[in-house]
Amino acid sequence: MALPDPEASRAVLIGTANYAADSGYESFAEVAGSVRDFAAFLRSGTGLPEEHVEVVLDPPDSASVAAAVTAAARAARGLLLVYYVGHGTVVDNQLHLTHSGSRADDADVTALAYAVLRARIKRDARGPVVVILDCCHSGKAFGREVLARDAEVLREATDIDGAFVLTATDEKSRFAVARGGGGRTAFTAMLLDVLRTGLPTDDRYLTMPLLYRELRDRLSAANLPKPKALERGTAGQVALAENPGWTGRALPAGLPRDITTAYLSQVRDLAPAEGLIDRGPELAELAEFCAGDEPYVRWQAGPWAGKTALMSWFALHPPPAVHVVSFFVTSRLAGQDDHHAFTDAVLEQLSALLPDQAAALDATVNRDAYRLHLLELAAARAAASGERIVLLVDGLDEDRGKPSIASLLPKRPGPGLRVIVAGRPNPALPLDVSPSHPLQHCRRRELSPAATAFDIRRAARLELWSLLERSEADQEILGLVTAAHGLTGGELEDLTGQPPFRIEAILSGVTGRTFRVGSSRFESEQINLLAHETLQREAENALGRTLLDGFRRRIHDWAGRYRALGWPDSTPSYLLTRYFSMLRRSGDLARMTELALDTARHDRLLDRTGGDGTARTEISTVAGLWLDQRDPDLVAVCELAMRGRRLTQRGANIPVRLPAAVALLGDLPRAQSLADGIVRSGRRLRAQIDLAAVQFSASDTVRNRALVDSVRHATTRALTDDDRCRLALALVAAGDADGAAELAHEITAPRERVRVLAQLIPAWRRAGRHAAVDAAITEINRHVLLVKGPGRRDEVLGHAVAAFAEIGDFEEAFAMGRMLEDAGAQAVALCRIARSMSAQGEPEPAAMCVGSALSIVERTVGLTERASLLARVASDLVAGGFRNELRERLDVVVAGMAGYVRRARVEILGQVVEALVTLGEVDRVLALVGGLGIDGLDMSTSVLPALVAAGRIVEGRRLAAEIERTSYRATDPYESGFALYTVMRALVTAADLSRARRPHRG
């Protein structure tokens, strides 16, 4: 189950409180209160942005209601929540919803048939749907035949795929109670009470089925109408909120006081080295704000007022019981002036404040959503311990990205969060900041310039002019740093040919007011840049356009030299990660396009940064700039799309198991980049589950749960039972049986649930938890009796066999094995029994079971099917001590592959490799898969954990790098051909035949 993604979800709350006096319907103020309070809960309890919760109070006609629901359904990429409260009426035994223009005597034409809304939702919704109807006759939403047993009739009655429909009355009740507690209707008042207070259970989330069961019990006990619910698909797994009464909740007491992060080191570089002078009143005012009730404050000042000095000092020296999470926007250092850098910096600091959540960050794809989640979590923990989180953002006027950082700041800070923003009075807030955002209305505080700031400005300007009047070498260093917006000593050496000692002498020849050092996550060496944005502009003005263009040409020539070499491994980081920003600032669209189209540079970026994110951002930026032109180069846009398709396509071939294997080899950041690069969402989620699994530990159960939560946050859809099963099995294997059992509570499908229980039984037996074992066996028996369908029944029976064999009840295990219909499933069951018999000191019966199983294998028709069956029984045969028997059968299969075509050989070999890896015969596997190219990627990947287990780490890393390179080189000819055709067509349409005839590389 999962909480809804706030950015992808939409809610539309419709309430009709007022009717015309002669309409035949009574007006109720409680309807307005219900809508208002439910909207407030959704915004605070689920984190839905204000603009994603639409309130439609007293709609004038049916069209208004239908339009609101249609718009929300079309906008929602995740959860769609539709809530209606008001008078419901029945026309021809069908539920109709009223609006302010409805009349009781003309309900058939003045009220909206619920069937219309149902059809709109079914047509437009793309994710799970929750419909809540708080009105009389709402049980009619399920149709005439809701009492029938026929499942098809129920399906047609609900008629919305992936929906959970909750009504205030059942099919027998006609009337809902309009007046309840707190100025709300009785049903909505009870619903909100459950959502806000929670239930004292081990359920972490309040799912719709859980809410329905609790409402049914509470409303019945209060002699109120019974609610009704029906569920389609996986909508019942969607949770509206965390359960405040969750008995497993164990939040740390308070937050760590002293944290160390790389970003805080950057903040220290901004703070005045000699200390903050004459700002005592301002620091006291900031401390008072942190303890007060105002959620936002906006400090403003002109250049050289000492604003950044004040804010950086406050960030490093917060008052007691205050934790500052800061970001300083600066355009002087590339990559520190947009929302990507903001999110990275905030996540780094929050993960240090929330160490139990740090592991989740490694497996998170939607970093913007996770930033909001961690900020809310940190604020909640701070509030619980009498502390506060303060989010401090300085330099909003220097933000260059889209969306703006200002638009991403919290819209509804809770009691544990306060927000301080600082910047210059101009420019105004970006256009994407909504009119209702707190930034638009918060108190503004004008900061008067500090006397010391004026002295520093004067001294820095004197130093700047002193540099300009010194030698040509001094001017050269200043000019290149100014043009590039920051260079390392090594980059300056490469550009100028000056020795390092001379460069260092020039940079240190001033008192430190002209230059300062910065850092970048892609650069180990410190970056030299001008100490203030105003100083940067003064240097640009002093150098003038001619000199500055000359320095820029030198940087362009420098880039051209490395481009001509094919962007070798020695390429300076500036040219890969910061040069594009310089081009964007100067508006050099032609060179930006060259970089964005350079596939060799994309490959080097991948190697340097660990992913394609930078290249993708450059491509989308350039394409957007072209489309903004009055006369756009559509051919260039097509070529950019072709390069983007190439990046997407090469991520399609990354083996699902490669990220986890790379993590085992000791490179977790690279592993995460690989997982994020997998294009198809289903394969990407599998990779993220495997990546979390290899990080599980028996000694750190808190981290295990954080990793599981990270997987939940990494996907826009709810986890399936198969996803939970994979995670639970990995927890069992890691020794965290309690964590696995907690996940098992969320699994409802019999096959997956029995599989997890079968694996938990051995762990519970070792721990002496006999009651848990007995309960698991009882449940397994129940599932065996109830499960339908031959294939599914065989799977459940197979896991049941393993469970009974584990507890030594071989008689029952054999009895269940005889119920299996598929011969292959019988062979697997016999091998599982043999494994348990060997472990319990019964080798002879075990050998007989293996003999019978292998006889089934040998009678299996088709080499592919035989190889598949051997792969399925390999782990049980090896664990039971029957390695030689397995090896002999595999030898026969390998010898028989000679007469098969390549495609069939690859399919067979894939199964053989799985079995050989289980045997530990790594070298034989490497010999078999050598030369297969892309066809052997998955097989080669399966060897990597075995290499780690054998201690052959260096060899494993070399093989992993080769697998990655091969997966990136492989492309789909159809995709490449289609992309090329698109570009050729655009060229011909544009009458650019010379470019159309020139070969293109994708």
Side-chain angles (χ1 to χ4, degrees):
M1 72 192 57
L3 293 173
D5 178 356
E7 296 303 320
S9 300
R10 297 293 188 277
V12 55
L13 279 56
I14 304 161
T16 306
N18 297 295
Y19 299 84
D22 60 348
S23 66
Y25 296 114
E26 184 179 356
S27 298
F28 289 103
E30 286 80 2
V31 169
S34 297
V35 172
R36 180 191 63 245
D37 291 353
F38 196 19
F41 170 79
L42 290 175
R43 291 163 181 155
S44 61
T46 68
L48 283 176
E50 184 172 354
E51 60 270 21
H52 291 185
V53 181
E54 182 178 3
V55 172
V56 182
L57 189 60
D58 293 332
D61 49 39
S62 297
S64 301
V65 177
V69 172
T70 300
R74 290 176 176 173
R77 293 175 288 108
L79 173 68
L80 170 65
L81 172 65
V82 178
Y83 167 85
Y84 174 84
V85 57
H87 282 292
T89 189
V90 176
V91 178
D92 293 334
N93 206 30
Q94 295 292 313
L95 173 65
H96 284 57
L97 308 178
T98 63
H99 47 76
S100 290
S102 297
R103 300 184 62 85
D105 53 357
D106 291 318
D108 56 337
V109 293
T110 61
L112 176 64
Y114 171 70
V116 172
L117 289 188
R118 188 172 61 198
R120 295 286 183 99
I121 294 170
K122 182 179 180 182
R123 181 191 67 191
D124 295 324
R126 290 172 287 177
V129 176
V130 171
V131 177
I132 301 176
L133 302 176
D134 183 2
C135 60
C136 297
H137 307 288
S138 53
K140 294 290 185 180
F142 305 118
R144 295 185 181 94
E145 307 299 334
V146 74
L147 295 177
R149 291 186 173 183
D150 186 1
E152 183 63 20
V153 172
L154 286 177
R155 186 194 68 78
E156 291 179 355
T158 310
D159 205 31
I160 304 174
D161 293 331
F164 193 100
V165 182
L166 175 64
T167 63
T169 68
D170 60 15
E171 64 282 353
K172 298 178 182 179
S173 303
R174 295 178 57 192
F175 302 111
V177 178
R179 292 185 170 88
R184 301 180 291 261
T185 64
F187 175 81
T188 297
M190 195 75 77
L191 172 64
L192 289 173
D193 183 61
V194 176
L195 286 168
R196 286 171 172 160
T197 61
L199 306 174
T201 70
D202 59 358
D203 296 287
R204 183 171 181 178
Y205 300 99
L206 293 174
T207 61
M208 292 308 299
L210 188 62
L211 286 171
Y212 164 64
R213 290 193 293 269
E214 183 67 17
L215 286 170
R216 181 190 59 196
D217 294 343
R218 291 193 187 188
L219 290 167
S220 297
N223 291 319
L224 294 170
K226 292 181 180 179
K228 181 71 178 180
L230 280 179
E231 174 186 348
R232 292 274 329 272
T234 60
Q237 297 174 4
V238 174
L240 285 188
E242 283 200 10
N243 180 8
W246 177 41
T247 55
R249 184 181 301 275
L251 297 180
L255 298 169
R257 280 304 310 168
D258 298 316
I259 62 171
T260 301
T261 67
Y263 190 76
L264 284 179
S265 300
Q266 190 170 318
V267 176
R268 290 188 184 93
D269 291 337
L270 295 172
E274 65 278 10
L276 192 66
I277 302 173
D278 296 332
R279 288 297 195 190
E282 288 82 0
L283 289 173
E285 185 177 341
L286 286 168
E288 184 179 356
F289 165 78
C290 295
D293 296 328
E294 285 183 285
Y296 266 81
V297 67
R298 187 177 173 188
W299 287 65
Q300 295 182 322
W304 292 101
K307 168 181 58 63
T308 297
L310 172 64
M311 294 301 161
S312 59
W313 187 266
F314 181 76
L316 295 171
H317 305 88
V322 171
H323 304 268
V324 176
V325 176
S326 64
F327 181 68
F328 291 80
V329 190
T330 175
S331 59
R332 285 167 297 150
L333 185 59
Q336 290 296 302
D337 59 356
D338 61 19
H339 69 98
H340 297 295
F342 166 68
T343 293
D344 287 345
V346 170
L347 281 176
E348 180 187 0
Q349 295 168 78
L350 288 173
S351 62
L353 282 171
L354 304 167
D356 59 309
Q357 299 290 315
L361 180 58
D362 296 328
T364 296
V365 174
N366 189 344
R367 294 171 71 83
D368 282 333
Y370 200 59
R371 168 177 45 76
L372 290 171
H373 168 71
L374 286 192
L375 192 58
E376 291 174 359
L377 180 59
R381 293 189 183 178
S385 57
E387 299 176 314
R388 270 190 174 155
I389 298 291
V390 172
L391 178 62
L392 188 158
V393 181
D394 176 72
L396 281 183
D397 52 289
E398 295 187 62
D399 183 9
R400 299 293 182 267
K402 292 182 180 179
S404 69
I405 295 171
S407 70
L408 300 178
L409 296 178
K411 298 177 178 63
R412 292 169 298 279
L417 178 63
R418 293 292 177 265
V419 184
I420 300 172
V421 295
R424 299 182 185 181
N426 293 303
L429 289 174
L431 294 176
D432 61 352
V433 180
S434 69
S436 61
H437 196 287
L439 266 179
Q440 301 279 16
H441 314 289
C442 68
R443 177 172 61 90
R444 301 189 183 191
R445 167 66 159 89
E446 298 295 331
L447 177 66
S448 57
T452 53
F454 177 81
D455 293 340
I456 293 172
R457 176 187 181 183
R458 183 173 179 276
R461 295 183 69 184
L462 287 173
E463 285 183 2
L464 175 63
W465 285 101
S466 174
L467 269 175
L468 290 169
E469 293 171 356
R470 284 160 62 175
S471 68
E472 290 185 4
D474 290 81
Q475 290 183 20
E476 181 184 39
I477 296 298
L478 175 63
L480 289 170
V481 169
T482 302
H485 283 246
L487 292 165
T488 68
E491 290 164 349
L492 285 167
E493 179 187 358
D494 196 20
L495 259 169
T496 65
Q498 298 280 353
F501 75 87
R502 186 164 298 167
I503 294 170
E504 179 62 28
I506 293 172
L507 292 172
S508 60
V510 292
T511 62
R513 294 188 178 93
T514 303
F515 294 109
R516 74 169 182 86
V517 293
S519 58
S520 167
R521 59 192 175 118
F522 303 123
E523 180 61 71
S524 58
E525 197 176 351
Q526 288 186 318
I527 301 169
N528 303 288
L529 63 161
L530 289 163
H532 197 278
E533 285 77 11
T534 305
L535 206 58
Q536 170 78 30
R537 285 190 285 273
E538 290 193 13
E540 292 172 355
N541 293 333
L543 289 167
R545 178 177 298 178
T546 302
L547 274 179
L548 207 54
D549 285 348
F551 289 122
R552 290 192 182 113
R553 281 194 296 272
R554 288 182 61 180
I555 295 173
H556 298 328
D557 293 342
W558 183 46
R561 176 155 50 96
Y562 281 95
R563 183 187 299 113
L565 295 172
W567 305 103
D569 187 51
S570 58
T571 302
S573 287
Y574 176 85
L575 296 178
L576 294 173
T577 61
R578 309 197 306 280
Y579 178 48
F580 184 87
S581 295
M582 174 192 132
L583 297 177
R584 184 176 182 183
R585 278 190 294 269
S586 60
D588 195 337
L589 187 53
R591 284 191 172 90
M592 291 170 67
T593 304
E594 286 182 1
L595 289 186
L597 290 174
D598 196 323
T599 56
R601 185 170 173 275
H602 294 167
D603 294 342
R604 182 56 59 198
L605 268 170
L606 172 68
D607 182 66
R608 187 68 58 88
T609 66
D612 286 323
T614 302
R616 291 178 195 274
T617 299
E618 291 180 357
I619 288 171
S620 63
T621 298
V622 176
L625 289 173
W626 272 120
L627 292 174
D628 287 340
Q629 302 296 309
R630 178 171 297 178
D631 185 20
D633 186 342
L634 296 181
V635 173
V637 174
C638 288
E639 289 183 309
L640 289 163
M642 187 173 173
R643 295 303 189 272
R645 184 184 289 266
R646 172 184 181 267
L647 296 180
T648 299
Q649 189 178 343
R650 72 180 182 181
N653 296 313
I654 299 172
V656 168
R657 292 182 290 182
L658 182 60
V662 170
L664 286 174
L665 289 163
D667 193 348
L668 185 59
R670 185 69 170 184
Q672 184 53 52
S673 293
L674 283 169
D676 292 349
I678 295 176
V679 178
R680 293 171 57 186
S681 59
R683 297 180 75 249
R684 184 170 61 246
L685 180 58
R686 282 184 54 202
Q688 287 159 345
I689 289 174
D690 291 346
L691 183 56
V694 299
Q695 300 174 68
F696 288 152
S697 166
S699 60
D700 194 347
T701 57
V702 172
R703 184 169 183 268
N704 293 346
R705 282 153 182 76
L707 284 165
V708 172
D709 285 343
S710 75
V711 174
R712 299 185 197 273
H713 289 291
T715 178
T716 57
R717 65 165 174 81
L719 295 183
T720 65
D721 278 348
D722 182 65
D723 298 331
R724 298 187 189 92
C725 179
R726 290 162 60 84
L727 285 166
L729 294 177
L731 286 168
V732 173
D736 185 1
D738 289 341
E742 184 178 312
L743 263 179
H745 283 306
E746 301 178 18
I747 298 174
T748 57
R751 177 181 56 182
E752 286 77 14
R753 184 155 177 79
V754 170
R755 186 179 181 189
V756 174
L757 290 174
Q759 294 299 313
L760 277 169
I761 285 173
W764 284 337
R765 287 190 73 203
R766 289 191 295 271
R769 298 177 60 180
H770 303 298
V773 172
D774 293 342
I777 291 294
T778 300
E779 183 177 346
I780 289 171
N781 269 322
R782 185 174 69 252
H783 287 305
V784 168
L785 292 173
L786 295 176
V787 72
K788 305 296 182 183
R792 187 172 294 271
R793 180 176 171 80
D794 273 3
E795 289 188 67
V796 172
L797 281 169
H799 298 312
V801 167
F804 282 104
E806 173 61 32
I807 64 173
D809 191 347
F810 297 117
E811 182 178 351
E812 187 64 23
F814 279 119
M816 289 199 170
R818 286 191 290 270
M819 297 166 64
L820 293 164
E821 298 184 17
D822 178 68
Q826 293 171 8
V828 172
L830 286 167
C831 289
R832 286 176 178 169
I833 293 173
R835 175 179 183 167
S836 295
M837 284 180 165
S838 295
Q840 295 174 37
E842 299 186 34
E844 293 180 3
M848 294 176 63
C849 288
V850 168
S852 299
L854 292 178
S855 295
I856 295 174
V857 172
E858 291 163 358
R859 292 196 303 269
T860 300
V861 177
L863 206 61
T864 303
E865 291 75 12
R866 198 178 309 162
S868 175
L869 189 49
L870 285 172
R872 291 170 63 190
V873 301
S875 60
D876 289 321
L877 290 177
V878 170
F882 301 97
R883 303 173 64 90
N884 291 333
E885 289 81 353
L886 175 61
R887 188 180 294 109
E888 290 172 5
R889 272 67 182 182
L890 290 172
D891 290 343
V892 172
V893 173
V894 171
M897 291 191 307
Y900 284 73
V901 297
R902 177 183 172 88
R903 184 172 180 179
R905 283 203 314 274
V906 169
E907 186 178 356
I908 296 168
L909 191 57
Q911 304 295 336
V912 171
V913 163
E914 293 292 331
L916 288 174
V917 168
T918 304
L919 278 169
E921 297 188 4
V922 177
D923 293 319
R924 187 179 179 189
V925 170
L926 293 174
L928 285 170
V929 302
L932 286 178
I934 189 173
D935 290 331
L937 288 180
D938 287 326
M939 290 180 255
S940 299
T941 302
S942 68
V943 179
L944 294 173
L947 288 173
V948 174
R952 296 160 64 174
I953 304 297
V954 175
E955 187 177 352
R957 287 174 178 164
R958 189 163 52 244
L959 176 59
E962 178 59 32
I963 293 169
E964 185 179 349
R965 283 193 296 270
T966 303
S967 68
Y968 289 144
R969 285 196 299 266
T971 57
D972 184 339
Y974 172 79
E975 290 282 345
S976 300
F978 181 78
L980 185 58
Y981 163 76
T982 303
V983 174
M984 295 300 103
R985 183 175 177 182
L987 288 167
V988 172
T989 303
D992 193 347
L993 299 182
S994 62
R995 292 176 72 182
R997 295 189 184 100
R998 189 167 66 241
H1000 286 255
R1001 281 190 308 120

